[in-house]
Amino acid sequence: MKYFLCILLLLANATALLAQRSHRMPPRSNGELYIPNVSATIKPGDTILLSGKYKIINLNEVNGTAEKPIVIYAWHPVTVGVGASNYGIMVQGRYWKFLGAGHTTVYNPDYTLNVLFNAGNSRFFSIDSVSLRNGQVGIFALPADSATHGDVRITNCSIAQIKGARTAGKSQAIHIGATNVALADTVGYRSVQIAHCSLSGIDGVGIQVVGTRTTLIEDVRIDSFGRAALPFQNSGIVVGPHVALQLQQSHISTGTGPAVSIFSAGVQRIAQCVFMQTATAADQDAVYIEQKQSKDAVANITLTDVQINGANRYGVHNVLAKPVRLIRVQISKAGKAKTFGPVVLAK
């Protein structure tokens, strides 16, 4: 009955989308879908319908409104990226939703894609139910200017086989925010939500968020990360400066570096998570905390109901002067000690 109701709901949503003003967008003869100014013909509230095989999808000026976002919807199975280089999908604008409907795949078997899904400097956007694999970066978004650059939602996505981490470059399944951390106090999103996603086979970082004032990561699974074992490119989740994190009900396993690395002031909450067989490389910790302190804030970090099983060095390594609070945290198989640095233990 549950699955029957889900099918009915999907059909109802598809019918509602098709009832709106819709635009079918088949690939051109060269396999590309490139529209430099979507807003010239497609208005807020419209739906862009995708179907079939595309070499690339490049949509610019996709500008809806808060009340009437532009919806990009895979109404039939969609494959993007075969034969392409640099990127598979690029969408830039504001107030748009990309609905992959569970049958949208972005990949290139030759690993020629630098970014599988590039949201550029978009703001107020969401990406749902897309499968991405065989690239250097899975999903990338780089806000252009203000500290309240909008909201981001990434849900129900699968990202795998992210390769190409190197000393002079980066490899991440998801990167949201400034690439130059020095800009994090002025450049960032207002909020980010990453939920119900699966990330695996990553040379570098699973998720990196920088400069986002409110970040919620929930029900996310990250397996086999940091495979290139490079410094600062080996964590399951990296929390950059000026991020307030809430990480909950997630499972992070099998990585050379920390399950979570925190480099931010402000409130950080980790709850109901399992970190298994992480920090396997030399001198690596399952949870590493080194605040990059802002001018007017200090870190306030709590781990609650967290299981940590395995770390080459410490289960929780705190470099802060202020203690980290651990509530019902179980740490086992830590190489040197369960914790290092100021820590307050509570049952």
Side-chain angles (χ1 to χ4, degrees), residues 127-145:
I127 301 170
D128 181 74
S129 299
V130 177
S131 175
L132 306 109
R133 66 179 189 267
N134 300 27
Q136 183 173 328
V137 178
I139 296 175
F140 178 80
L142 176 63
D145 40 40

Side-chain angles (χ1 to χ4, degrees), residues 53-82:
K53 297 180 180 180
Y54 301 81
K55 180 179 178 181
I56 65 168
I57 293 175
N58 188 339
L59 305 175
N60 293 281
E61 299 297 326
V62 186
N63 297 322
T65 65
E67 296 77 19
K68 295 181 177 181
I70 290 176
V71 176
I72 306 164
Y73 177 63
W75 70 306
H76 286 154
V78 169
T79 301
V80 186
V82 177

Side-chain angles (χ1 to χ4, degrees), residues 14-78:
T15 302
L17 287 170
L18 293 172
Q20 299 172 3
R21 200 174 80 133
S22 302
H23 307 260
R24 296 185 183 184
M25 297 294 181
R28 298 177 180 175
S29 58
N30 63 357
E32 297 182 1
L33 174 59
Y34 173 53
I35 305 177
N37 186 4
V38 168
S39 295
T41 56
I42 296 176
K43 305 306 178 186
D46 285 1
T47 298
I48 297 172
L49 299 177
L50 303 177
S51 177
K53 297 180 180 180
Y54 301 81
K55 180 179 178 181
I56 65 168
I57 293 175
N58 188 339
L59 305 175
N60 293 281
E61 299 297 326
V62 186
N63 297 322
T65 65
E67 296 77 19
K68 295 181 177 181
I70 290 176
V71 176
I72 306 164
Y73 177 63
W75 70 306
H76 286 154
V78 169

Side-chain angles (χ1 to χ4, degrees), residues 12-335:
N13 288 338
T15 302
L17 287 170
L18 293 172
Q20 299 172 3
R21 200 174 80 133
S22 302
H23 307 260
R24 296 185 183 184
M25 297 294 181
R28 298 177 180 175
S29 58
N30 63 357
E32 297 182 1
L33 174 59
Y34 173 53
I35 305 177
N37 186 4
V38 168
S39 295
T41 56
I42 296 176
K43 305 306 178 186
D46 285 1
T47 298
I48 297 172
L49 299 177
L50 303 177
S51 177
K53 297 180 180 180
Y54 301 81
K55 180 179 178 181
I56 65 168
I57 293 175
N58 188 339
L59 305 175
N60 293 281
E61 299 297 326
V62 186
N63 297 322
T65 65
E67 296 77 19
K68 295 181 177 181
I70 290 176
V71 176
I72 306 164
Y73 177 63
W75 70 306
H76 286 154
V78 169
T79 301
V80 186
V82 177
S85 60
N86 193 20
Y87 63 88
I89 295 177
M90 178 179 287
V91 181
Q92 296 199 82
R94 60 183 182 270
Y95 294 109
W96 55 263
K97 298 180 179 182
F98 191 104
L99 305 181
H103 52 219
T104 298
T105 302
V106 184
Y107 82 106
N108 187 305
D110 299 322
Y111 286 91
T112 60
L113 297 178
N114 294 322
V115 181
L116 294 162
F117 197 125
N118 191 346
N121 59 10
S122 293
R123 50 186 175 176
F124 301 103
F125 69 91
S126 62
I127 301 170
D128 181 74
S129 299
V130 177
S131 175
L132 306 109
R133 66 179 189 267
N134 300 27
Q136 183 173 328
V137 178
I139 296 175
F140 178 80
L142 176 63
D145 40 40
S146 69
T148 55
H149 201 64
D151 305 317
V152 176
R153 295 184 75 248
I154 299 171
T155 53
N156 303 303
C157 289
S158 171
I159 305 175
Q161 298 306 313
I162 300 301
K163 295 185 177 182
R166 54 188 186 272
T167 303
K170 297 181 178 181
S171 181
Q172 296 131 347
I174 299 175
H175 181 104
I176 306 294
T179 53
N180 182 352
V181 295
L183 301 176
D185 59 341
T186 57
V187 178
Y189 288 99
R190 182 174 63 185
S191 71
V192 167
Q193 179 185 5
I194 302 172
H196 320 305
C197 293
S198 175
L199 319 176
S200 63
I202 306 159
D203 277 6
V205 172
I207 299 172
Q208 180 163 331
V209 181
V210 180
T212 295
R213 279 45 186 172
T214 302
T215 297
L216 172 62
I217 301 175
E218 63 177 338
D219 186 26
V220 167
R221 188 177 186 98
I222 304 174
D223 296 307
S224 183
F225 60 91
R227 296 189 305 183
L230 294 175
F232 306 107
Q233 277 286 289
N234 60 356
S235 296
I237 296 175
V238 175
V239 181
H242 301 278
V243 174
L245 171 71
Q246 183 176 348
L247 170 64
Q248 60 192 35
Q249 299 174 344
S250 295
H251 190 285
I252 303 175
S253 65
T254 317
T256 61
V260 181
S261 296
I262 297 175
F263 300 96
S264 181
V267 177
Q268 318 291 333
R269 297 288 182 263
I270 301 175
Q272 298 178 314
C273 292
V274 176
F275 306 148
M276 298 284 292
Q277 297 178 335
T278 64
T280 59
D283 298 324
Q284 294 296 305
D285 314 294
V287 177
Y288 181 75
I289 301 164
E290 181 182 349
Q291 176 191 343
K292 303 298 183 182
Q293 194 167 17
S294 64
K295 296 178 182 179
D296 56 358
V298 296
N300 183 337
I301 300 173
T302 302
L303 280 68
T304 305
D305 296 319
V306 175
Q307 296 182 38
I308 298 173
N309 187 320
N312 180 274
R313 189 166 57 178
Y314 303 112
V316 176
H317 187 172
N318 177 24
V319 190
L320 302 179
K322 185 172 181 178
V324 171
R325 186 172 176 82
L326 305 182
I327 302 173
R328 297 184 300 277
V329 174
Q330 300 178 15
I331 302 174
S332 60
K333 298 182 181 179

